[in-house]
Amino acid sequence: MQHYLKIAKSFSLLSLILILVIGNTTPSPIIIAKQALAIISSRSDSNTATITNIQLPGIIPNNSDNPPAPHSSGTGLVTNTNPSSSNPQSAAPPAIVHRNTRARPALGGATLNDPNLKVEQIINTGLKRTSSMAFLGPNDILLLEKDTGKVHRIVNGKVLAEPVLDVNVANRAERGLLGIAISNNNDNGSTENGNIPHVFLYYTESGGGKDGDDASISKVSPTTDTDNATATANAGTRGLDMVPPAGNRLYRYDLDLNNNNNNNKLTNPLLLLNLPASPPPGREGTEKNHNAGKVLIGPDNDVYVGVGDVAGHRGQSENNPNGTAPDGTGGILRITQDGQIVNNPPLGGTIPLALYYAYGMRNTFGMDFDPITGDLWDTENGNTFGDEINLVKPGFNSGWSQVAGIWEAGSKPGPAIAADSNNPPKDLVTFGGKGVYRAPELATLQTIAPTALKFLNSDRLGKQYENTMFVGDVDNGHLYNFKLNEDRTGLSLDSPLADKIANNPEDLKEGGAVLGQGFGVITDMQVGPGDGYLYILTLNGIIYRIVPSS
Ligand SMILES: [Ca+2]
Ligand SMILES: [Ca+2]
Ligand SMILES: [Ca+2]
């Protein structure tokens, strides 16, 4: 009985807040939510998220029994009316596409092709499947372990014994604890050293309260999955979930400063976004992939999170004109640090479109802002072909699921239908003309599975690397380096990349884009706040640093 009352009490308080926030009957919903949060947080375990700041009616919780309603015409959805039906750039690409595998670290260690630079290993943590990192300060790093949901802290090259947080994650395939961003620029109260940091985490939250409780209960025939190159090899990652995940969720935490001795915890979890984490109806047996997961704080101080098509959602945000309304998959979402809709969102002012900064994406493992222009860039993964590096302007449509790279999407590369930003395929979803297709600044025909993307906003590796772009990958263990063109709207590419197409990894070498090799799978890169060097995290728990060789 007491238990029931407790639940009822929590529910009524939650309902009250949601009504107030949704109804916008008050001029200050953020304050109300914060007060309520403080009330609930005061009696809650710090690892238990207590409340959502804002309800997102357009976002269907993943475990909902009610999938989004089918699209009906006349809701403002307008497809591209470009009359051109014959694209002069159309041409059939080579039919043979090689399939790659996950790169292993070189036995002799990672190496660089510039004698003025060298690779230093900062630490081999021994941790498994490390997905992202963020600097709290010089020599002070928070590191995410994808499958355990642990946020580890590394101070002066040593992993502290206790993680700063341990959450319950669904972790099959590409699910898990995926992305982190830290904001010191907020209204979270101040200390001698500045604001108390907000730490934003994106993870696939367990539906049953245990890591890995989404384990497979059945295996289905790989032939039911047409969008998964590695399906057969990953049979264990397929099949129905034992316990479906609660959702792909973006949370905000505070760094607890009550306890010094570098023993701080992450506290006051605030659920900002609750997004789908399961395959759409009809695809339940597919691999649990494409959850994306990188989180960034933009120059506008807002929070950006990349979300993939989540095992093949095919709604309007994936350029299906007859699909369901955008459901929080297939794009880059943006909200304020308090979980509110930003001013003047590019695609429309109401949820769910108001959450989208960009759409038409299959999956991204890398995003960063150009430190000069403030423009967002991303990497995107094709299936059996068609990886991309993109300039992501507000309202950017990347073309998926109609386009991969510049080619018509499908199980094999179709004709090059989308190389001209001014002449995109005519059936793309534009949300009343607000969404704008842009062709990739680099497309690879053979996949490399690009991952992290980072601009080096320092001259510590020499002027030639200042504000250039670094990219990692899964398939080759390469570290790529790209310079931008003069107005920084594209990459400065040499032959055979000058046509913005790499047919294979050899083209990337020949074009001078490969700076290093032997890293294995690079999952994240950051610039050290104390030294201005490039820090590189690999999937197998190693952090490297690129430094001058002398
Ligand atoms: Ca855990
Ligand atoms: Ca694209
Ligand atoms: Ca080329």
Side-chain angles (χ1 to χ4, degrees):
M1 188 59 178
Q2 203 175 356
H3 180 62
Y4 170 78
L5 285 176
K6 197 173 168 187
I7 291 171
K9 197 174 167 189
S10 299
F11 179 76
S12 61
L13 181 55
L14 180 66
S15 302
L16 174 66
I17 295 152
L18 295 183
I19 289 163
L20 287 172
V21 174
I22 294 166
N24 203 20
T25 54
T26 161
S28 187
I30 294 175
I31 290 171
I32 287 170
K34 276 193 170 172
Q35 288 168 343
L37 176 70
I39 292 165
I40 294 181
S41 296
S42 66
R43 59 168 193 247
S44 300
D45 182 278
S46 66
N47 277 353
T48 307
T50 50
I51 192 171
T52 59
N53 177 329
I54 183 171
Q55 178 67 359
L56 304 168
I59 302 303
I60 310 301
N62 186 58
N63 50 6
S64 166
D65 292 324
N66 304 308
H71 168 69
S72 59
S73 59
T75 57
L77 171 73
V78 177
T79 54
N80 192 322
T81 53
N82 191 325
S84 170
S85 58
S86 64
N87 188 328
Q89 298 202 17
S90 296
I96 297 171
V97 175
H98 301 277
R99 289 185 177 177
N100 297 308
T101 53
R102 182 178 292 174
R104 292 176 180 277
L107 289 177
T111 54
L112 299 178
N113 304 326
D114 180 342
N116 296 314
L117 302 177
K118 66 178 179 184
V119 183
E120 283 181 357
Q121 182 173 302
I122 298 293
I123 181 174
N124 183 347
T125 63
L127 299 170
K128 301 278 190 294
R129 300 195 184 209
T130 41
S131 54
S132 285
M133 64 178 171
F135 278 90
L136 270 175
N139 304 313
D140 192 347
I141 298 172
L142 295 185
L143 177 65
L144 308 189
E145 213 177 7
K146 173 188 158 317
D147 289 350
T148 64
K150 288 179 179 171
V151 182
H152 294 280
R153 186 171 181 184
I154 301 170
V155 179
N156 294 324
K158 289 206 164 56
V159 184
L160 302 190
E162 290 295 318
V164 298
L165 183 71
D166 182 356
V167 294
N168 302 317
V169 289
N171 60 23
R172 291 171 70 192
E174 294 168 9
R175 291 172 176 166
L177 176 55
L178 302 175
I180 181 170
I182 297 175
S183 168
N184 292 303
N185 190 359
N186 57 58
D187 58 358
N188 196 27
S190 58
T191 68
E192 292 170 5
N193 302 318
N195 286 100
I196 300 167
H198 278 322
V199 177
F200 297 86
L201 295 174
Y202 174 90
Y203 55 91
T204 315
E205 187 159 5
S206 148
K210 282 167 75 173
D211 293 334
D213 59 8
D214 59 334
S216 176
I217 56 172
S218 64
K219 290 179 180 176
V220 297
S221 164
T223 56
T224 63
D225 185 1
T226 57
D227 183 27
N228 182 6
T230 52
T232 307
N234 292 335
T237 68
R238 299 158 53 78
L240 302 178
D241 292 317
M242 193 87 74
V243 180
N248 278 319
R249 293 179 161 177
L250 178 68
Y251 282 93
R252 190 188 81 188
Y253 293 81
D254 296 329
L255 183 68
D256 167 26
L257 295 177
N258 293 326
N259 193 345
N260 287 321
N261 308 321
N262 287 332
N263 195 25
N264 316 105
K265 303 296 182 192
L266 297 184
T267 58
N268 296 335
L270 179 63
L271 178 59
L272 300 180
L273 287 174
N274 180 26
L275 306 170
S278 289
R283 291 179 59 86
E284 290 84 354
T286 56
E287 190 185 2
K288 310 305 179 282
N289 55 10
H290 307 173
N291 303 288
K294 286 291 184 247
V295 183
L296 294 177
I297 307 297
D300 52 10
N301 228 12
D302 292 327
V303 187
Y304 293 71
V305 58
V307 185
D309 73 10
V310 187
H313 283 242
R314 289 290 181 271
Q316 292 164 22
S317 54
E318 287 93 11
N319 285 296
N320 177 3
N322 302 315
T324 53
D327 60 357
T329 65
I332 295 172
L333 309 183
R334 176 178 59 164
I335 54 172
T336 70
Q337 293 190 24
D338 292 311
Q340 305 293 309
I341 298 305
V342 301
N343 293 328
N344 303 315
L347 298 174
T350 55
I351 292 170
L353 270 181
L355 293 171
Y356 279 81
Y357 184 80
Y359 67 103
M361 295 179 183
R362 181 175 176 273
N363 202 34
T364 174
F365 289 124
M367 312 190 299
D368 196 22
F369 289 93
D370 181 340
I372 304 296
T373 63
D375 286 336
L376 182 62
W377 288 73
D378 78 354
T379 63
E380 293 176 34
N381 277 221
N383 180 18
T384 57
F385 65 95
D387 296 333
E388 308 178 1
I389 296 175
N390 290 295
L391 171 58
V392 183
K393 292 282 196 179
F396 168 70
N397 178 5
S398 193
W400 182 256
S401 57
Q402 296 194 34
V403 177
I406 60 169
W407 301 278
E408 187 175 71
S411 55
K412 285 186 283 189
I417 58 170
D420 181 358
S421 299
N422 296 315
N423 190 19
K426 62 179 172 24
D427 292 334
L428 297 182
V429 173
T430 69
F431 300 110
K434 295 191 174 83
V436 180
Y437 175 80
R438 185 184 177 96
E441 300 311 318
L442 181 67
T444 72
L445 179 61
Q446 180 180 337
T447 54
I448 61 171
T451 53
L453 184 157
K454 189 68 195 172
F455 287 95
L456 183 73
N457 60 342
S458 110
D459 64 0
R460 297 297 305 279
L461 298 184
K463 274 285 174 191
Q464 68 269 38
Y465 292 106
E466 186 176 14
N467 298 318
T468 63
M469 177 196 294
F470 291 83
V471 172
D473 78 10
V474 173
D475 292 349
N476 303 293
H478 286 165
L479 174 65
Y480 304 94
N481 178 239
F482 297 99
K483 291 169 180 55
L484 270 62
N485 64 16
E486 204 163 327
D487 62 6
R488 300 187 74 83
T489 58
L491 303 177
S492 177
L493 297 169
D494 296 327
S495 177
L497 305 176
D499 59 358
K500 300 188 179 185
I501 299 166
N503 286 321
N504 51 55
E506 288 304 313
D507 280 2
L508 288 158
K509 279 186 194 166
E510 261 185 78
V514 178
L515 176 62
Q517 51 275 316
F519 287 90
V521 177
I522 292 173
T523 53
D524 204 3
M525 290 187 279
Q526 299 294 335
V527 179
D531 55 27
Y533 295 142
L534 183 72
Y535 285 69
I536 297 173
L537 172 67
T538 64
L539 186 65
N540 59 342
I542 298 175
I543 299 176
Y544 299 100
R545 178 171 76 170
I546 308 294
V547 299
S549 51
S550 59

